[in-house]
Amino acid sequence: MSQVATPELQQWIVEQARAGCKPEAVLAAMTQAGWQEDVAIAAMEAAMGEHVAGLQRTPAALTVTATRATTQREGAAQQPSSQAKPMPEPRLAGHPRQVDAGDRVVDVLVNLRSPRVVVFGNLLSAEECDELIAAATPHLKRSLTVETQTGGEALNDARTSDGMFFRRGENAIVSRIEARIARLLDWPLENGEGLQVLHYRPGAEYKPHYDYFNPDEPGTPSILKRGGQRVGTLVMYLNEPERGGGTTFPDVGLEVAPQRGNAVFFAYDKPHPSTKTLHGGAPVIAGDKWVATKWLREQEFK
């Protein structure tokens, strides 16, 4: 039988946090009481989401540190539990329908806690979408993937798109969109990689994968020198293919349809499958698909 977190349980979680209980202790108490671990973590995230909204990120924020306790048991590296890891996070306290991104009001269409996924509407104007496509088109080449075996880049049969990167702040439209993203996700502009534009023709896809860099691969340390781990991804849809081309999250059965001007954001607080951020670009069945992707790092990307 599936378990459902009740309002009473969520209130209890908040009370434990106010009393100074560590997230690991709260999680252990819940699992000992018979709660499934994934349900317990989701309940902790939901309960603390509004409680810590609007506050500075502190060690009391269970949203991040609760899942880090799970990571420790799974053998993944972690920071001390007394330090909550800062993460990109849109300001959604009070469940707003829209958020202020500085120069544009953006719609909130989907707000999922586990995995951390938010679908935004109206992030880009139609004119901005067209301008990005036009600026990128002359520079497109077969897309490469980061090669964690070597720390370089390589062709990958799982990724059959063409793409290019803009340098951060390369031109006026890129600068404008990067500033908007930084405001929307409450994350330093300098912690973002350069904006990538991708073009998928019919039949092209990007098979399910993770965006973080596998810490067990030999090339990862050299990749991390440029800004640490990736902690978030924003995929912006620049057009609408006739059929197919959605962004899929297989672990949770979610598919986000590509709609011009909309975007999907997802975050991952550790480089581990428990974040449920396995995702892919479904094959384009008819028409072309254009997207712009922004990856966010822990530190300044150089």
Side-chain angles (χ1 to χ4, degrees), residues 156-235:
N156 189 327
D157 291 340
R159 190 178 201 184
T160 53
S161 61
D162 295 323
M164 60 81 64
F165 277 94
F166 289 107
R167 297 186 307 275
R168 195 169 59 231
E170 179 171 335
N171 54 42
I173 185 172
V174 169
S175 295
R176 183 168 71 249
I177 292 172
E178 287 175 333
R180 189 180 303 160
I181 292 170
R183 171 73 174 265
L184 177 68
L185 301 180
D186 195 19
W187 200 243
L189 187 150
E190 61 270 18
N191 289 19
E193 296 182 24
L195 193 67
Q196 184 184 42
V197 174
L198 295 170
H199 178 211
Y200 294 81
R201 294 181 175 86
E205 65 177 319
Y206 196 176
K207 294 180 180 178
H209 60 283
Y210 297 99
D211 279 354
Y212 57 73
F213 305 115
N214 187 339
D216 297 326
E217 296 290 350
T220 295
S222 64
I223 297 171
L224 300 186
K225 290 179 181 178
R226 298 193 67 187
Q229 266 290 358
R230 285 176 176 169
V231 291
T233 303
L234 182 73
V235 178

Side-chain angles (χ1 to χ4, degrees), residues 99-130:
V99 289
D100 181 7
D103 65 341
R104 192 172 183 84
V105 174
V106 177
D107 299 323
V108 180
L109 304 180
V110 175
N111 184 10
L112 187 63
R113 287 289 177 183
S114 182
R116 189 67 185 111
V117 176
V118 182
V119 179
F120 295 108
N122 196 39
L123 176 58
L124 302 178
S125 69
E127 293 76 17
E128 288 172 330
C129 292
D130 290 342

Side-chain angles (χ1 to χ4, degrees), residues 4-301:
V4 178
T6 63
E8 290 77 15
L9 175 65
Q10 293 184 349
Q11 179 61 35
W12 177 83
I13 292 170
V14 171
E15 291 173 354
Q16 302 313 300
R18 287 172 173 167
C21 294
K22 292 184 177 181
E24 297 89 337
V26 177
L27 180 61
M30 293 178 67
T31 55
Q32 290 172 7
W35 289 95
Q36 298 170 6
E37 187 173 277
D38 58 342
V39 175
I41 291 174
M44 294 169 71
E45 291 177 340
M48 295 306 299
E50 293 189 18
H51 181 62
V52 301
L55 302 177
Q56 295 293 326
R57 297 179 177 90
T58 69
L62 296 182
T63 301
V64 174
T65 52
T67 52
R68 191 174 295 115
T70 305
T71 305
Q72 185 178 40
R73 288 194 298 277
E74 293 167 336
Q78 69 167 30
Q79 296 180 0
S81 60
S82 61
Q83 299 179 356
K85 180 178 179 180
M87 294 291 295
E89 175 64 25
R91 298 178 183 274
L92 301 182
H95 306 282
R97 292 180 55 253
Q98 296 180 315
V99 289
D100 181 7
D103 65 341
R104 192 172 183 84
V105 174
V106 177
D107 299 323
V108 180
L109 304 180
V110 175
N111 184 10
L112 187 63
R113 287 289 177 183
S114 182
R116 189 67 185 111
V117 176
V118 182
V119 179
F120 295 108
N122 196 39
L123 176 58
L124 302 178
S125 69
E127 293 76 17
E128 288 172 330
C129 292
D130 290 342
E131 189 173 346
L132 279 177
I133 291 174
T137 296
H139 309 288
L140 293 175
K141 296 180 180 179
R142 171 68 187 273
S143 297
L144 303 176
T145 57
V146 176
E147 179 53 66
T148 53
Q149 286 287 331
T150 64
E153 295 181 318
L155 288 174
N156 189 327
D157 291 340
R159 190 178 201 184
T160 53
S161 61
D162 295 323
M164 60 81 64
F165 277 94
F166 289 107
R167 297 186 307 275
R168 195 169 59 231
E170 179 171 335
N171 54 42
I173 185 172
V174 169
S175 295
R176 183 168 71 249
I177 292 172
E178 287 175 333
R180 189 180 303 160
I181 292 170
R183 171 73 174 265
L184 177 68
L185 301 180
D186 195 19
W187 200 243
L189 187 150
E190 61 270 18
N191 289 19
E193 296 182 24
L195 193 67
Q196 184 184 42
V197 174
L198 295 170
H199 178 211
Y200 294 81
R201 294 181 175 86
E205 65 177 319
Y206 196 176
K207 294 180 180 178
H209 60 283
Y210 297 99
D211 279 354
Y212 57 73
F213 305 115
N214 187 339
D216 297 326
E217 296 290 350
T220 295
S222 64
I223 297 171
L224 300 186
K225 290 179 181 178
R226 298 193 67 187
Q229 266 290 358
R230 285 176 176 169
V231 291
T233 303
L234 182 73
V235 178
M236 295 164 280
Y237 303 107
L238 306 183
N239 80 322
E240 298 172 10
E242 295 174 34
R243 285 193 295 151
T247 303
T248 62
F249 294 84
D251 287 346
V252 291
L254 175 66
E255 179 171 353
V256 179
Q259 184 168 332
R260 189 184 199 189
N262 288 5
V264 58
F265 163 73
F266 51 100
Y268 26 98
D269 66 334
K270 52 186 171 288
H272 196 276
S274 62
T275 57
K276 301 180 184 178
T277 53
L278 181 70
H279 66 285
V284 176
I285 299 172
D288 287 11
K289 170 187 170 184
W290 289 85
V291 298
T293 302
K294 187 72 171 178
W295 286 290
L296 308 175
R297 296 286 192 107
E298 292 177 301
Q299 303 146 15
E300 181 179 357
F301 179 74

